[in-house]
């Protein structure tokens, strides 16, 4: 839902002055002091290129949001980015299959180690944290089961999982799911198959565990080598058996030449067998002297992002693998976003498919989501195509409805670019600005969230996709307080692959003490073709009280 608030200030006499004030790009003045950080987060060797954790240097830049920070960051075409707090980096986002507007993500935080946010309406976000285990640090990962229970995992000294039965508002005590030391992950079986609502967890150095009783207890069932952070889990069908295939990918090799090994379970995570190994992801940007792959000195790594198609469409059961790697291969070249897929549960793989539709700039840090009803695969990433020389970065996204044969035109999600990384990174260091972020989707649209550096303050920023812009003009109008009217142009000037019907509404607050302000969309309150405009007639009936402020709230919902 899009919302625009028009602030009205009254004047003496017979006129009520309508001053239309748009929510616009955020303006920030001055500096804020860095937040303190939890020293317990740094019980490891920061120089080790095979450990992916925050650094002390990165945390010195985390600052607290102030009252001058806006919640919505809007561009000239009325597209919105939603600021959801100022925390740090590494947002992992999920949505409730029982209520797609109920979403949750965790993010690294300098003081508590992690923060969690949730929304029940897809618009208003609230911070709510469990009572974190003392070993808490980093790498948030979440999963929803089919009945609407949320499981929120965290920790790199063993993963602790917290259960929420109310969409992320409150959590139970943490339960240790799997032992390890870095880059944990979590998945749930959302089907009605024989392993329905089983939970699966994994962590570096390659330990895998499952819970068959809703997260009450966990048992480690499998161990495989995972020397480089990047283990991931995906659940899909095994023929007619819903949730009958659990895919588990591990990461080995060297920093600039990783090998993804795919392990399959057909018995709900009790046993596994290796299906294949792919050595396809090499350099991403440049390998510096600290042994880190970097984009403009900010570190990156080709995590193997995987998902399975649980729909009943033509690609049911397809396993997707998405990662970033330089094209052409080699140190210092430009990375692309690459998709490969398997139709036989990881035994064989398609050729490489390039997701980004330009050859300029760097493309890295993909996040993916395969929508379980439609089979649509969403992919988002960082992209410097607009000005590669200055590393001006935006977030881009696309989707495929035919299993990767074709992609929708790449769309920019950010309303403002920034120089990546911001704050800048010193050369040849382990300079952390996050290692991944997240995306989720329902049958209508996706929602992405990322570390946003436009102010250098580690915002959590999100956006819908597909999307439409919303503007209203003129900026101000005069209207007589007695039986007068004016029209407001309410327009959708541009869309990002949005084709649905948009329904408009509007309200006035407060209600006048005398008279009334009536609102009417001329010619009906819907649009189905774009760009397009509706006219909102604002009419004073009787004698409207000329004191106090009136606000017209214009809503457009797709």
């Amino acid at each position: 839902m899009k919302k625009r608030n028009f602030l009205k200030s009254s004047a003496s006499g017979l006129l009520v002055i309508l001053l239309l004030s748009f929510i616009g790009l955020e303006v920030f003045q001055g500096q804020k002091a860095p937040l303190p950080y939890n020293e317990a987060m740094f019980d490891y060797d920061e120089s080790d290129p095979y450990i992916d954790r925050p650094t002390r240097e990165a945390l010195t830049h985390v600052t607290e949001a102030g009252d001058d920070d806006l919640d919505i960051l809007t561009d000239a075409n009325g597209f919105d980015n939603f600021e959801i707090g100022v925390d740090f980096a590494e947002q992992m986002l999920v949505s409730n299959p029982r209520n797609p507007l109920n979403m949750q993500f965790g993010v690294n935080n300098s003081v508590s180690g992690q923060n969690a946010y949730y929304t029940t309406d897809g618009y208003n976000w609230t911070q709510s944290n469990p009572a974190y285990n003392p070993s808490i640090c980093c790498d948030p990962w979440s999963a929803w089961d089919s009945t609407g229970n949320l499981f929120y995992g965290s920790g790199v000294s063993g993963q602790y999982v917290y259960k929420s039965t109310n969409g992320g508002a409150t959590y139970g005590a943490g339960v240790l799911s799997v032992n390890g030391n870095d880059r944990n992950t979590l998945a749930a079986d959302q089907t009605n198959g024989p392993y329905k609502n089983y939970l699966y967890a994994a962590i570096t150095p390659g330990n895998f565990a499952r819970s068959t009783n809703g997260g009450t207890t966990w048992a480690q069932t499998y161990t495989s080598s995972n020397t480089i952070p990047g283990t991931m889990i995906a659940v899909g069908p095994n023929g007619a058996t819903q949730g009958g295939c659990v895919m588990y990918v591990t990461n080995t090799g060297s920093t600039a030449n990783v090998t993804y090994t795919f392990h399959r379970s057909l018995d709900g995570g009790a046993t596994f067998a290796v299906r294949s190994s792919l050595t396809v992801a090499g350099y991403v940007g440049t390998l510096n002297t600290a042994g880190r792959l970097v984009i403009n000195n900010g570190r990156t790594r080709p995590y193997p992002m995987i998902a399975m198609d649980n729909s009943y469409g033509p690609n049911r059961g397809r396993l997707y693998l998405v990662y970033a790697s330089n094209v052409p291969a080699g140190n210092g070249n430009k990375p692309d976003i690459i998709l490969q897929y398997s139709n036989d549960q990881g035994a064989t793989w398609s050729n490489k498919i390039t997701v980004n539709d330009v050859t300029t700039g760097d493309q890295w840090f993909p996040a993916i989501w395969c929508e379980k009803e439609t089979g649509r695969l969403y992919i988002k990433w960082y992209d410097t195509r607009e000005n590669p020389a200055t590393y001006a970065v935006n977030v881009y996204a696309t989707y495929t409805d035919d299993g990767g044969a074709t992609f929708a035109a790449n769309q920019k999600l950010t309303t403002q670019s920034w120089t990546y990384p911001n704050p800048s990174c010193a050369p040849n260091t382990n300079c952390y600005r996050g290692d991944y972020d997240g995306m989720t989707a329902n049958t209508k649209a996706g929602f992405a969230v990322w570390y946003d550096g436009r102010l250098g303050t580690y915002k959590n920023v999100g956006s819908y996709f597909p999307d439409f812009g919303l503007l209203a003009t003129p900026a101000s109008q005069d209207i007589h307080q007695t039986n007068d009217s004016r029209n407001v142009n309410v327009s959708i000037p541009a869309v990002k692959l949005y084709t649905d019907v948009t329904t408009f509404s509007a309200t006035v607050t407060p209600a006048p003490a005398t008279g009334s302000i009536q609102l009417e969309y001329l010619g009906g309150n819907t649009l189905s073709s774009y760009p397009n405009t509706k006219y909102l007639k604002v009419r004073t009936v009787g004698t409207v009280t000329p004191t106090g402020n009136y606000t017209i709230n214009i809503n457009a919902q797709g």
Side-chain angles (χ1 to χ4, degrees), residues 133 135 139 141 151-162 173-180 184-187 199-203 207-222 233:
N133 185 278
S135 69
D139 292 353
W141 212 265
F151 299 89
Y152 172 39
S154 65
V156 293
S157 297
Q159 183 196 56
Y160 286 83
V161 175
Y162 308 87
V175 178
L176 179 64
S177 62
V178 63
N179 282 301
N184 50 281
T185 190
L186 189 65
L199 302 173
Y200 306 109
I203 195 170
N207 297 332
F208 183 98
R210 70 173 185 171
S211 173
T212 62
N213 55 10
T216 301
T217 59
W218 293 78
Q220 184 170 315
T221 60
Y222 187 61
I233 303 169

Side-chain angles (χ1 to χ4, degrees), residues 205-528:
N207 297 332
F208 183 98
R210 70 173 185 171
S211 173
T212 62
N213 55 10
T216 301
T217 59
W218 293 78
Q220 184 170 315
T221 60
Y222 187 61
T223 299
S224 178
S225 176
N226 191 83
T227 55
I228 296 178
T231 180
M232 303 289 174
I233 303 169
V235 180
N238 181 32
T241 304
Q242 299 180 49
C245 177
V246 178
M247 296 302 304
Y248 169 44
V249 58
T250 53
N251 214 3
T252 57
S254 65
T255 297
N257 192 34
V258 300
T259 296
Y260 303 144
T261 299
F262 295 86
H263 314 256
R264 182 186 70 171
S265 173
L266 299 181
D267 53 12
T271 61
F272 282 86
V274 172
R275 296 290 282 172
S276 65
S277 293
L278 294 178
T279 304
V280 290
Y283 292 96
V284 179
T286 303
L287 183 65
N288 70 13
T289 59
R292 288 282 184 176
L293 295 170
V294 295
I295 302 291
N296 196 27
N297 299 319
R299 85 185 194 199
T300 184
R301 192 186 294 281
Y303 285 159
M305 298 299 185
I306 61 172
M308 293 193 77
D309 186 342
N310 283 277
S311 75
Y312 284 89
N315 297 305
R316 175 175 169 81
R318 178 167 288 186
L319 171 64
Y320 295 102
L321 164 68
V322 178
Y323 55 93
S325 191
N326 283 2
V327 179
N331 194 17
N333 293 328
K334 302 289 189 180
D336 286 335
I337 305 300
I338 306 298
L339 167 69
Q340 293 183 255
Y341 61 82
S342 172
N343 289 326
D344 52 15
Q345 299 172 340
T348 61
W349 291 88
S350 72
N351 294 328
K352 297 180 180 181
I353 302 167
T354 302
V355 175
N356 44 286
D357 57 13
V358 299
T359 58
T360 57
D362 299 277
Q363 289 81 33
W364 76 104
F365 272 3
I368 68 172
W369 189 273
C370 190
E371 206 286 311
K372 68 185 184 69
E373 300 295 335
T374 64
R376 173 176 285 183
L377 179 70
Y378 286 87
I379 308 173
K380 64 142 292 290
W381 64 92
Y382 284 134
D383 197 311
T384 64
R385 69 179 65 186
E386 293 185 8
N387 197 336
T390 64
Y391 294 95
V393 70
N394 285 283
V395 173
Y396 273 75
T398 186
Y399 58 76
T400 176
D401 286 326
D402 52 18
T406 61
F407 291 91
N410 295 180
Q411 302 291 309
K412 182 170 66 175
L413 302 190
T414 33
T415 57
Q416 180 181 328
S417 66
W418 70 91
T419 299
Y420 189 89
N422 186 22
S424 61
C425 289
N428 300 313
T429 60
N430 175 17
C431 190
Y432 169 88
R433 299 293 181 261
D435 291 322
Y436 62 87
D437 50 31
M439 186 164 198
T440 189
N442 57 50
T443 57
K444 287 290 188 179
F447 189 83
V449 64
W450 59 87
Y451 139 73
D452 191 284
R454 67 187 75 186
L455 295 181
T457 53
Y458 288 103
K459 295 178 182 295
N460 314 307
V461 172
S463 176
Y464 281 98
F465 168 70
D467 198 10
F468 61 91
L470 178 64
L471 296 175
T473 55
S476 64
Q477 289 198 76
D478 295 347
I479 186 171
H480 287 84
Q481 68 186 100
T482 304
N483 299 327
D484 195 10
S485 67
R486 296 289 186 273
N487 286 345
V488 176
N489 294 359
V490 181
S491 68
I492 295 179
V495 295
K496 297 175 183 177
L497 305 182
Y498 177 81
T499 58
D500 214 335
V501 174
T502 306
T503 302
F504 297 87
S505 60
T507 58
V508 178
T509 55
T514 61
S516 65
I517 300 175
Q518 296 187 358
L519 307 174
E520 177 189 5
Y521 285 101
L522 302 180
N525 68 333
T526 62
L527 286 176
S528 57

Side-chain angles (χ1 to χ4, degrees), residues 58-217:
L59 289 171
T60 63
H61 302 295
V62 181
T63 60
E64 189 173 9
D67 292 338
D68 51 358
D69 289 350
L70 298 176
D71 292 329
I72 303 177
L73 313 173
T74 305
D75 67 12
N77 281 320
F79 289 108
D80 294 331
N81 286 173
F82 302 91
E83 180 196 306
I84 314 167
V86 178
D87 292 278
F88 201 22
E90 296 191 2
Q91 300 86 351
M92 200 285 165
L93 177 72
V94 289
S95 52
N96 187 346
R98 295 289 182 176
N99 173 17
L101 295 179
N102 182 194
M103 296 180 282
Q104 185 263 3
F105 71 89
V107 59
N108 287 343
N109 177 270
S110 63
V111 179
S112 64
Q114 244 170 252
N115 269 343
Y117 293 84
Y118 75 99
T119 178
T120 56
D121 60 8
Y123 180 76
N124 295 291
W125 291 82
T126 301
Q127 184 184 127
S128 180
N129 291 315
Y132 289 118
N133 185 278
S135 69
I136 178 65
C137 172
C138 321
D139 292 353
W141 212 265
S142 302
W144 243 293
D145 71 12
S146 66
T147 61
N149 293 311
L150 170 67
F151 299 89
Y152 172 39
S154 65
V156 293
S157 297
Q159 183 196 56
Y160 286 83
V161 175
Y162 308 87
K163 181 178 180 179
S164 175
T165 60
N166 52 14
T170 60
Y171 296 87
V175 178
L176 179 64
S177 62
V178 63
N179 282 301
N181 57 31
D182 199 7
R183 186 65 299 276
N184 50 281
T185 190
L186 189 65
D189 184 338
Q190 294 185 350
T191 74
N192 195 37
Y195 313 110
K196 62 183 177 183
N197 301 321
Y198 277 26
L199 302 173
Y200 306 109
I203 195 170
T204 307
N207 297 332
F208 183 98
R210 70 173 185 171
S211 173
T212 62
N213 55 10
T216 301
T217 59

